[in-house]
Structure formats: C-alpha cells, structure tokens
Amino acid sequence: MLTLAFETSCDETAAAVVDSQFNVLSNVVSSQIDIHKLFGGVVPEIASRNHLLRIECVLEEALRLANVQIGDISQIAATVQPGLTGAVMVGRVFAESLSTAIGVPFIGVNHLNGHLASINLTHKNIQPPFLSLVVSGGHTSLYRVTEKGGWQTELLMSTTDDACGEAFDKVGKFLGLPYPGGPHIAKLAASCKVSPEGYFKFASKMDYSKPVFSYSGLKTAVLNHVNRTKQKNETLDLSLIAASFQFEAVHQLVEKCTSALKKYKSDTLCVCGGVSANEHLRTTMQTACEKSGARVFFPELQFCGDNAAMIAAAALLMKEKT
Ligand code: KG4
Ligand code: ZN
C-alpha cells in the first residue's frame, strides 16, 4: 500500500511516496527560500502562487523517483492546517482533486501531527508513551504522546510568545543574515572561537522553573545589544553573538525538556521540527538526556524541516488507528 502526500503549509512545495512500512520511496522538497529571502520573510500570496506553479512538477518528480505510477497509489494525504491559508489550500485542493480523479481516499493531516510522526520514518519501532518536542518556525510545544496510531497527545508546555525558530530567524535578521536565519546562525556559532564562559549573558533574567517556553526576552536582549553596539560605533562580533544566542536558545529547550521528563516520569524524548536539525541542540540534548538516564530520538535531517514524507507518516498512523 503506497501513500502519496503533499505539504504546502508555508514556503516548501513538497510531495512524497511512502509505503506501509514507513519506507520513504521519494521525498521531494522544492524550497521557495530564494524568492522569499528577497523580502526577509515569507510573503503568503507569493508562496501560494509558487505552490500552484510547482506542485505538478513536484508530484511528477516524486512518482518518478519512487519508480511508481499514479495508479499504484492507494491513498493521498495533504496538510490541511495550520499554516498560511492560501498556501495550505493549494496542496489540499490539488490532493483532494487527485484522490477523486483516481478513486482513492483522501486523508487530511494536521501539520503538527506530521512533525510528530516524522520520528517514525527514522525510528520505526519507537513505541509510546514518550514526550515529544516540536520545535520549528511556528511552534515550540512539548507533548506527551500516549498512543501510536491516533497520536493521542497531551500538550504539556508551549511558548507564551515567539517560537524558537522564529527567534532564530528574527535574530538572523538583526545580524543582517539571509532568511531563514536558523541555519546561518548555527554556521556562524560554529565558527566562534570563544568558549561558553565568555558568551554574552542574553538570558540572565530567564526563569527556568516556569512550565512554559519563551523567546521574546532573549530576542530583545540580542536586539538591545546590537543597537547599543552600533550606537557606540563599535564592531559587532557576529559569531560571538550567534553562539551566545544559540547557547541560551538551546539551553532553555534542554532545561525544560529534562525537567518535564522527570516530572512526567518518562525516559524517552523525541525532538522534531525544523530547529531539530540544529547540531548544537542535538548534541546538548543527547548529553543532558544521557545524564538523566533518558533516551532522545531525532528524525533524520531530511525529515526535520517541512516535508511531505512526514505527512504520509501521520496519515499512515491515523489509518492504523481506524
Ligand atoms: O519545521 P519548519 O521547516 O517549518 C515550520 O513548521 O515552521 O521549521 C523552520 C524553522 C525556521 O525557523 C528555521 O530557521 C529553523 O527551522 N531551522 C533551524 C535550523 N534549520 C532550520 N534553526 C536552527 N538551526 C538550524 N540548523
Ligand atoms: Zn513545520
């Protein structure tokens, strides 16, 4: 049984073919970053138009790479929420029309369930209960996952203001880096020669005992530092700022997740979403979890950012449940 899935909730036009054992036969992502970076962020109307222009090519490429015909497909899935309304609509209407045309069921998938299900593409045998963090440009939410299939989840913690990836992108903008800032900040931070003791203390007022995530204070502290340095006509140490910001952004995720593992008596954490591609997050979370006797799982890098294979995985899990 083959699932064809589409993801168009933001600025990636994606299609994938996944079999019932969660083997990914193709995973095609056509990114619009080069277009949106001219505007410093995603322009919703431009995103929708480009999804329209690209979706047929992406479908053809996904079928070609999987070496299958459209008639081999047993079900079609697409993201139906949340996301940019017009952008979501393009993928959803295209997928639903195609499912009607070839006479197979359509499965609407919540984008967050897609990120949560991405872990099953890499770690096929992982079994709930476990905690799962979705850390992306739109979300920073910790869930308790209690049931495979239906993805029975309980939201334990969420952000009160900015999402973690959003803070990476905004700080990237303050530093004059291209959109999206996340990967550029990670690269700059990796080139920093200063050890953590010498980092700027951007989050000295952060209260780690609160059961919420918060990134607006950290983001503002970086902005204030940048403005003050410019006013004094001093040079910005970009790699030190990037490393200091990344250190605090990741420290918050690690502190809150390890406390939650203790509080909810869990020994397993999954971390997914675009920011889970961050190398510093992966190594720091791994070390902290090992120290507290827990295991941590990440998706393969190709399944961290928005992609359609994760939407197919979520559809398969929903199907298993019914
Ligand atoms: O999951 P995703 O592709 O889209 C949303 O659902 O939001 O996540 C995109 C976010 C962006 O904010 C991007 O800057 C961030 O993930 N990101 C990273 C890295 N790669 C992508 N942030 C930090 N380090 C990275 N290596
Ligand atoms: Zn996403």
Side-chain angles (χ1 to χ4, degrees), residues 189 192-202 240 243-245 247-248 251 280 284:
C192 179
K193 301 277 181 285
V194 180
S195 62
E197 298 74 47
Y199 286 176
F200 296 118
K201 305 285 177 278
F202 288 137
L240 180 56
S244 308
F245 163 76
F247 181 87
E248 297 294 1
H251 183 65
H280 177 64
T284 314

Side-chain angles (χ1 to χ4, degrees), residues 61-105:
E61 187 66 354
L63 293 175
R64 189 185 69 76
L65 291 174
N67 200 18
V68 299
Q69 311 283 322
I70 190 72
D72 300 326
I73 300 297
S74 323
Q75 58 178 11
I76 297 182
T79 301
V80 294
Q81 62 164 334
L84 304 171
T85 310
V88 170
M89 190 90 82
V90 174
R92 180 191 184 145
V93 170
F94 186 85
E96 264 192 293
S97 312
L98 189 59
S99 73
T100 307
I102 66 167
V104 299

Side-chain angles (χ1 to χ4, degrees), residues 39 42-43 95 100 114 177-178 180 227 231 291:
F39 305 95
V42 178
V43 183
T100 307
L177 303 174
N227 287 340
Q231 273 162 10
K291 242 189 208 165

Side-chain angles (χ1 to χ4, degrees), residues 21-262:
Q21 304 305 308
F22 293 84
N23 296 311
V24 180
L25 307 190
S26 63
N27 185 34
V28 179
V29 180
S30 171
S31 171
Q32 301 177 14
I33 283 176
D34 283 349
I35 299 169
H36 297 285
K37 76 177 177 195
L38 303 172
F39 305 95
V42 178
V43 183
E45 184 54 29
I46 295 177
S48 315
R49 285 173 194 220
N50 278 280
H51 287 314
L52 264 178
L53 290 174
R54 293 170 185 212
I55 198 158
E56 262 184 74
C57 291
V58 165
L59 163 65
E60 279 169 18
E61 187 66 354
L63 293 175
R64 189 185 69 76
L65 291 174
N67 200 18
V68 299
Q69 311 283 322
I70 190 72
D72 300 326
I73 300 297
S74 323
Q75 58 178 11
I76 297 182
T79 301
V80 294
Q81 62 164 334
L84 304 171
T85 310
V88 170
M89 190 90 82
V90 174
R92 180 191 184 145
V93 170
F94 186 85
E96 264 192 293
S97 312
L98 189 59
S99 73
T100 307
I102 66 167
V104 299
F106 170 75
I107 300 172
V109 172
N110 182 302
H111 185 78
L112 288 170
N113 284 103
H115 278 302
L116 287 167
S118 67
I119 209 79
N120 291 77
L121 297 168
T122 308
H123 306 284
K124 296 198 173 75
N125 298 321
I126 188 162
Q127 292 292 340
F130 50 75
L131 303 193
S132 194
L133 173 71
V134 179
V135 59
S136 69
H139 297 89
T140 309
S141 304
L142 183 67
Y143 297 89
R144 178 157 52 179
V145 177
T146 48
E147 193 187 328
K148 201 177 169 189
W151 285 101
Q152 191 89 47
T153 57
E154 180 191 347
L155 179 62
L156 304 177
M157 226 190 276
S158 199
T159 178
T160 47
D161 39 60
D162 290 351
C164 182
E166 185 183 359
F168 267 93
D169 296 342
K170 287 180 177 165
V171 166
K173 217 170 182 178
F174 305 153
L175 301 184
L177 303 174
Y179 172 84
H184 296 281
I185 289 187
K187 209 168 155 200
L188 254 183
S191 71
C192 179
K193 301 277 181 285
V194 180
S195 62
E197 298 74 47
Y199 286 176
F200 296 118
K201 305 285 177 278
F202 288 137
S204 51
K205 296 198 183 89
M206 185 76 200
D207 179 0
Y208 288 106
S209 65
K210 281 192 186 165
V212 288
F213 296 105
S214 169
Y215 280 95
S216 98
L218 174 59
K219 174 195 72 184
T220 307
V222 178
L223 178 62
N224 290 341
H225 172 85
V226 169
N227 287 340
R228 272 198 306 270
T229 311
K230 283 184 177 166
Q231 273 162 10
K232 287 193 252 166
N233 269 333
E234 289 171 5
T235 316
L236 288 169
D237 188 338
L238 293 183
S239 69
L240 180 56
I241 298 172
S244 308
F245 163 76
Q246 178 180 263
F247 181 87
E248 297 294 1
V250 166
H251 183 65
Q252 182 180 155
L253 296 173
V254 172
E255 282 294 306
K256 306 251 162 156
C257 288
T258 48
S259 305
L261 284 167
K262 271 191 212 120

Side-chain angles (χ1 to χ4, degrees), residues 7 9-10 111-112 115 134 136-139 273-274 304-307 310:
E7 154 60 39
S9 66
C10 192
H111 185 78
L112 288 170
H115 278 302
V134 179
S136 69
H139 297 89
C304 291
D306 290 349
N307 66 90
M310 70 182 195

